[in-house]
Amino acid sequence: TAGSWGAALAAAALALAIFARPAQLDGALLYDDKAAVLGSPVVQGQVPVSKVWTRDFWGKDEMGSPESHKSYRPLVTLTYVANHRLNTQNGRNGDTPFGFHVVSAALHALVSALVVPTVHAALGWRERGLFVPALSALLFAAHPVHVESVQNMVGRAEEMMALFYLLGFLAY
């Protein structure tokens, strides 16, 4: 319904208002971001992108290697590769944080918007009012627990997990 779309857009707008401000978008890559993005041979294009399927999250070790951390997140790594390549094609240094932060903020906005239909579905689609779904989405969008998953690139795995979980819930 139009009300559901409005509530979803409000949640997405709130998420972007919080996480897509210039100070956040221009923020540096920190902590594990340096290893996952700057230190990954897969992301940096030092090895073929097909290695994303055989190497661990950090991109240095094959999954079967004793040195591997055994963390496997190829879809997340592919988003880093796409960010790096888009930066390069747009005449920037591939490691420029801006594009990485834009994608993470957009993912959080999308997930926040999906909370509306998910809560509505969880209530059995019988709840005619949008108060509970809208409030849930707004709280999700603005909750401080999401700061780390949105601002740190390694947290993109959590954003993507939430996206696929909510889509799976809705598809069921």
Side-chain angles (χ1 to χ4, degrees):
T1 67
S4 293
W5 280 104
L9 288 174
L14 179 60
L16 291 174
I18 294 169
F19 292 106
R21 296 181 310 193
Q24 279 91 1
L25 296 179
D26 290 329
L29 297 175
L30 302 171
Y31 311 117
D32 288 344
D33 297 348
K34 292 177 183 176
V37 175
L38 304 179
S40 171
V42 176
V43 175
Q44 295 297 316
Q46 298 163 352
V47 297
V49 73
S50 61
K51 290 289 187 181
V52 73
W53 304 110
T54 60
R55 293 192 176 195
D56 65 18
F57 177 64
W58 309 104
K60 293 183 180 179
D61 301 308
E62 296 288 329
M63 285 298 294
S65 166
E67 290 82 25
S68 171
H69 288 259
K70 307 296 188 243
S71 54
Y72 186 67
R73 301 175 201 137
L75 296 180
V76 175
T77 303
L78 285 173
T79 68
Y80 299 156
V81 170
N83 269 143
H84 191 274
R85 288 185 178 176
L86 282 171
N87 279 347
T88 304
Q89 288 176 355
N90 289 327
R92 294 187 182 117
N93 176 333
D95 301 326
T96 303
F98 181 84
F100 289 91
H101 288 298
V102 167
V103 170
S104 290
L107 273 171
H108 183 62
L110 178 59
V111 171
S112 297
L114 282 173
V115 170
V116 173
T118 303
V119 171
H120 206 88
L123 295 174
W125 299 103
R126 291 181 210 145
E127 176 69 31
R128 297 208 183 262
L130 283 173
F131 180 75
V132 173
L135 181 62
S136 300
L138 292 171
L139 287 171
F140 184 91
H143 201 285
V145 75
H146 299 295
V147 169
E148 187 174 355
S149 67
V150 179
Q151 289 305 123
N152 294 345
M153 291 311 103
V154 294
R156 189 177 291 179
E158 296 166 30
E159 292 293 323
M160 291 177 69
M161 182 281 308
L163 174 67
F164 291 124
Y165 180 86
L166 295 178
L167 288 172
F169 185 89
L170 289 168
Y172 180 75

